[in-house]
Amino acid sequence: MVFEQEEEVAPGAVYGHRLSTVVPSSVTGEVDYALADADLAFKLHYLRGAYYYPPGDVARGLTTKVLKDPMFPWLDEYFPVAGRVRRAEEGAPAGAGAQAEAAAEGGARRPYIKCNDCGVRIVEAKCDRDMAEWLRDDAPDRLRQLCYDKVLGPELFFSPLLYVQITNFKCGGLALGFSWAHLIGDVFSAATCFNKWAQILSGKKPDATVLTPENKPLQSHSPAGAAAPRSVKQVGPIEDHWLVPAGRDMACYSFHVTEAALKKLQQQGRHAAAAGTFELVSALLWQTVAKIRGNVDTVTVVRTDAAARSGRALANEMKVGYVEASGSSPAKTDVAELAALLAKGVVDETAAVAAFPGDVLVYGGAHLTLVDMEQVDVYGLEIKGLRPVHVEYGMDGVGEEGAVLVQPDADGRGRLVTAVLPRDEIESLRAVLGSALQAAA
C-alpha cells in the first residue's frame, strides 16, 4: 500500500519533493521489538548514505514504481524498520509483551519499537544539475540535499525510522539517499539492509534475515551518578525529540584520498607499517583538526569488526573506545606515529557505553570521533547489474567535536572521507588537507 503527499522544502538545486509511504506486503501483527542497551546508546544519531547511478538505459528504467515494488517483500523481512518508537508504560501488566519486560528489567518508560507496519517514507525529488557537475562540486552539505532531513520526535509514534529519497538528475542519472535512525542498527546493518533490497529488485534471493535472539536489557548497569565513559558525552535526559543541537552550525564535507596519496602515507617510516589504511587516513585527519583547533589530545574511535558480529540483521555492534596522545601535541606528531597509536592504543569501552544508563552522544560528543567503515559493503547496492559509481556516507546528530567517516572508494584502492565538523572549520580543513594531500601525492 502506498500513501502520497506533497511537502514544502526550502528551495535549492534539489526540489519538487513528493512523499509517499511503503509498508510490508503482509500484516506483521502488532509485534513488539525490544531494543538493546547498545541500540539506545546511539539513539541520538542518524546515518545518511547517498548512492549515485550514472545516466543510461538502466537508470532510465528505474522508475519510482520499479524501485518501490520490491520494498514490500523487503519490509516483510525487515519489519521492525517499518515500525515506530514507543515507550514502555509504567506498571505494564505481565504478559503485555516486550515493553512490559523491558520496563521491568531496563527501567520504566524504556523505548521499544512497535512493529505496526506504519512503513518507511519514500521521497521523490529532482535536481536541476548534471550528476558529473554535482560530484565535481565539493561544496559542503551536498549529501544532506540527497538524504531527507528528519529525526525522531517530538512525536515519536509518528516518526519513521527510515526515509528513502529518489533524486533524478537533469542528465538522467539517479541518486538513492537513505536517512536511517542509528537506533535500529549501525552502518554495517544499514548497508546490508539496503543491499538486500537491491537483491530482491534484481530478482535474486537474499540470505535469510535474522532478528533473533530477542534483545534483552543488560543485567547490570553503571551505578546512578557514575561518570560517563571517556569515549562519550552525557547529555539530557532527552525526552521525545531525539536530537541534541551541537551548539555550532555543523557541515558535512566529503573528499577523496587517492591511491597515490595512500601509498605515500604508507611509506612514512616504520610506524606506518604497523598501521592499516583506516588508521593512516584517520591519523591525517586527527593531525589536521589538531592544527586547526590548537590541540586535540584525545579521540573517540568507532570501528566495525565483521568477524565479531552476532549475525543479527539489525544491531549496533560497533566497537567504541578512545585513544589519548602522549608526549607532543598531535598537531606536531607525525601521521605515521599517530596511526600506530590508533592501531594499538585504543582503550575499549564498548561494554561500558552500553551499560551507562544515561543519554549520550557517541559521535562528536566528548571528542573528535573517527569512524571505521573499512568492512562495510557500501558498493553492494547493485541494481539490475548497475553498480553505483559513487557512494558517500555522513551523519547527523554529531556533537561539535565532530566526526570523520572513512570508507573505501569505488575501486577500493583509495578512500572517501566525510568530515562532519563545525562549518567555520571547513575552509581551514580544505586548506590544511590540500597541502598535506598534495605533498603526499
Side-chain angles (χ1 to χ4, degrees):
M1 187 178 295
V2 178
F3 307 95
E4 298 188 353
Q5 68 182 83
E6 299 278 357
E7 179 154 315
E8 291 291 329
V9 177
V14 178
Y15 64 97
H17 296 74
R18 183 180 177 87
L19 274 67
S20 59
T21 301
V22 174
V23 302
S25 64
S26 56
V27 177
T28 302
E30 294 285 327
V31 175
D32 297 339
Y33 180 81
L35 294 164
D37 292 87
D39 298 332
L40 297 175
F42 288 90
K43 76 177 190 180
L44 301 176
H45 300 295
Y46 303 87
L47 293 166
R48 313 298 194 206
Y51 295 70
Y52 295 80
Y53 296 86
D57 291 340
V58 175
R60 277 193 295 272
L62 295 176
T63 64
T64 300
K65 183 179 186 305
V66 168
L67 294 170
K68 280 182 177 179
D69 283 348
M71 291 183 178
F72 300 107
W74 173 53
L75 292 176
D76 284 342
E77 295 292 313
Y78 280 93
F79 58 87
V81 178
R84 296 293 183 268
V85 175
R86 296 284 191 273
R87 286 188 182 273
E89 297 296 334
E90 294 186 62
Q99 72 272 32
E101 184 176 357
E105 297 184 30
R109 306 287 292 158
R110 181 186 176 94
Y112 67 99
I113 295 176
K114 172 67 74 174
C115 300
N116 52 11
D117 300 335
C118 281
V120 304
R121 290 282 191 272
I122 310 301
V123 184
E124 302 170 65
K126 298 177 182 178
C127 181
D128 61 9
R129 299 172 63 185
D130 288 339
M131 179 185 291
E133 175 194 1
W134 179 272
L135 288 173
R136 281 195 302 269
D137 183 358
D138 64 350
D141 289 341
R142 71 180 182 192
L143 176 62
R144 285 176 173 163
Q145 294 189 61
L146 300 179
C147 302
Y148 204 64
D149 184 18
K150 290 291 184 181
V151 300
L152 296 175
E155 295 177 312
L156 290 175
F157 46 86
F158 285 142
S159 298
L161 298 168
L162 172 63
Y163 287 83
V164 182
Q165 180 170 321
I166 305 164
T167 303
N168 289 286
F169 288 87
K170 183 174 68 174
C171 62
L174 177 77
L176 297 175
F178 297 90
S179 298
W180 170 277
H182 210 313
L183 174 84
I184 51 174
D186 55 25
V187 67
F188 189 97
S189 294
T192 302
C193 177
F194 306 152
N195 293 347
K196 286 194 175 184
W197 163 61
Q199 291 170 14
I200 297 172
L201 193 157
S202 301
K204 300 176 182 178
K205 184 176 177 59
D207 294 336
T209 301
V210 179
L211 298 175
T212 55
E214 183 178 344
N215 290 319
K216 299 283 187 181
L218 295 173
Q219 293 301 308
S220 60
H221 287 85
S222 301
R230 287 189 62 183
S231 305
V232 301
K233 178 182 179 181
Q234 184 175 7
V235 294
I238 305 301
E239 295 301 327
D240 286 349
H241 190 198
W242 288 1
L243 181 71
V244 177
R248 298 172 69 182
D249 183 19
M250 305 296 287
C252 194
Y253 171 60
S254 298
F255 61 92
H256 189 221
V257 179
T258 65
E259 180 184 11
L262 282 180
K263 286 182 177 178
K264 192 74 173 180
L265 290 173
Q266 291 162 353
Q267 294 167 359
Q268 293 188 4
R270 60 185 179 85
H271 291 296
T277 303
F278 165 72
E279 288 84 9
L280 286 165
V281 175
S282 295
L284 175 62
L285 269 294
W286 185 3
Q287 182 196 70
T288 300
V289 175
K291 287 178 179 178
I292 295 169
R293 297 179 182 173
N295 205 9
V296 180
D297 287 333
T298 306
V299 293
T300 295
V301 181
V302 179
R303 307 199 64 157
T304 299
D305 184 355
R309 296 187 70 85
S310 66
R312 286 178 53 86
L314 297 174
N316 278 289
E317 295 179 340
M318 298 184 84
K319 304 296 184 183
V320 181
Y322 70 90
V323 173
E324 185 173 14
S326 57
S328 62
S329 162
K332 299 177 181 179
T333 305
D334 289 340
V335 167
E337 189 174 338
L338 290 176
L341 185 60
L342 287 169
K344 298 181 177 179
V346 177
V347 178
D348 188 358
E349 293 192 312
T350 306
V353 170
F356 185 71
D359 293 323
V360 298
L361 285 180
V362 179
Y363 302 104
H367 315 289
L368 174 70
T369 305
L370 307 172
V371 184
D372 176 9
M373 293 176 55
E374 290 285 307
Q375 298 181 35
V376 179
D377 186 13
V378 294
Y379 281 89
L381 209 159
E382 185 175 304
I383 299 176
K384 296 190 174 182
L386 185 65
R387 190 170 180 265
V389 293
H390 182 76
V391 178
E392 59 188 57
Y393 268 80
M395 198 176 295
D396 276 331
V398 175
E400 62 186 53
E401 295 299 320
V404 173
L405 292 78
V406 181
Q407 65 176 72
D409 64 6
D411 60 18
R413 295 193 290 268
R415 291 298 179 269
L416 192 284
V417 180
T418 299
V420 186
L421 296 173
R423 190 175 298 276
D424 57 13
E425 293 182 351
I426 295 296
E427 287 306 317
S428 298
L429 180 79
R430 280 172 158 168
V432 177
L433 269 179
S435 300
L437 292 175
Q438 189 173 20

